[in-house]
Amino acid sequence: MDWGMKNRLNRILQPETGRTLMLAIDHGYFLGPTSGLEEPYETVKDLIPHADSLMLTRGVLRSCIPPGTKIPIVLRMSGGTSILKELSEEGLTVAVEDAIRLNASAITLSVFIGADGERATLLNLAKLVDAGHQYGIPVLAVTAVGKDMVREARYLGLACRIAAELGAHMVKTYFCDGFEEIVRNTPVPIVIAGGKKRPERDALQMAYDAIQAGASGVDMGRNIFQSDSPVGMIKAVRAIVQKDAGLEEAFTIYEEEKAGTPVLEPQPA
Ligand code: R5P
């Protein structure tokens, strides 16, 4: 692996912990208007200082995020479908040269294993890995779940292993029972998606359980930006991912931020 590839990976997976907190705001690429993302920058500007990277499309990056923003970018490179039709028929939507122009630290696409678009999306992953290697840009494979697929270890493990075998540098999947076995069978770092909004304590429990089971972090969106305290949630998730906080400690961070009495960061002596 060359220096550029390693350097970009280190921007995403923090070298001190080997873990990452990605803030995902790419939902509009197939969902269209998404609650909480009406004005993307208004939503993320107070969250960015607590995230290790921001995952989004080039359209929202160019239109909404000021170029002076200090956050590594994970650029979505696939799409072409909407919730009105077959989601698995995604194609590549961005040239790797444009990802370079946008100074992406990593590029990402979805693969739909077990769905109509399986072959095409897996071949797209292979193409993106080749393009990424040409320029030293790591690829995150998102193991998207088709509407007929269940989010269980046997299926998600299959998807993660295939993505890693095709050369993905990181894989995103869903947390499930038996997650340790998925981690053991996937020779690259795994991050978990948050999925649909759930109560804050449940979302923190899921992040905690995933880290305990060997996840290298989270790529979380709705459970942060749709929370009644987005800053509280991202700080709480960060404590779990980067500081090995327990569930109670993390939930207290969320509650105190929500109540307006945030825990003070330790000050230098
Ligand atoms: C889905 O494919 C999108 O890439 C989202 O970025 C991903 O699902 C993470 O967001 P959430 O935590 O809201 O599920």
Side-chain angles (χ1 to χ4, degrees), residues 81-89 147:
T81 61
S82 82
I83 41 168
L84 300 182
K85 292 189 84 175
E86 174 54 48
L87 281 179
S88 75
E89 305 287 0
K147 51 182 179 300

Side-chain angles (χ1 to χ4, degrees), residues 24 26-27 29-30 55 76 142 172 193-195 219-222:
D26 59 329
H27 306 65
Y29 90 94
F30 70 99
M55 175 176 172
R76 176 163 279 281
V142 174
K172 174 168 101 166
D219 183 12
M220 197 176 265
R222 289 162 289 182

Side-chain angles (χ1 to χ4, degrees), residues 100-129:
I100 295 165
R101 265 191 292 279
L102 289 164
N103 198 26
S105 295
I107 50 183
T108 185
L109 84 169
S110 296
V111 293
F112 291 81
I113 290 167
D116 291 350
E118 176 182 282
R119 182 170 189 276
T121 57
L122 286 176
L123 293 179
N124 285 338
L125 167 59
K127 274 186 211 150
L128 210 55
V129 168

Side-chain angles (χ1 to χ4, degrees), residues 25-104:
I25 59 161
D26 59 329
H27 306 65
Y29 90 94
F30 70 99
L31 282 177
T34 304
S35 176
L37 294 180
E38 296 82 358
E39 296 174 81
Y41 190 63
E42 282 307 303
T43 298
V44 299
K45 66 182 194 313
D46 295 333
L47 304 179
I48 281 173
H50 309 287
D52 295 316
S53 65
L54 186 64
M55 175 176 172
L56 75 179
T57 60
R58 67 175 168 185
V60 165
L61 180 59
R62 282 207 167 93
S63 308
C64 309
I65 308 296
T69 306
K70 292 189 178 68
I71 185 84
I73 296 301
V74 179
L75 192 68
R76 176 163 279 281
M77 307 283 276
S78 69
T81 61
S82 82
I83 41 168
L84 300 182
K85 292 189 84 175
E86 174 54 48
L87 281 179
S88 75
E89 305 287 0
E90 282 190 8
L92 291 177
T93 53
V94 182
V96 72
E97 290 77 11
D98 208 32
I100 295 165
R101 265 191 292 279
L102 289 164
N103 198 26

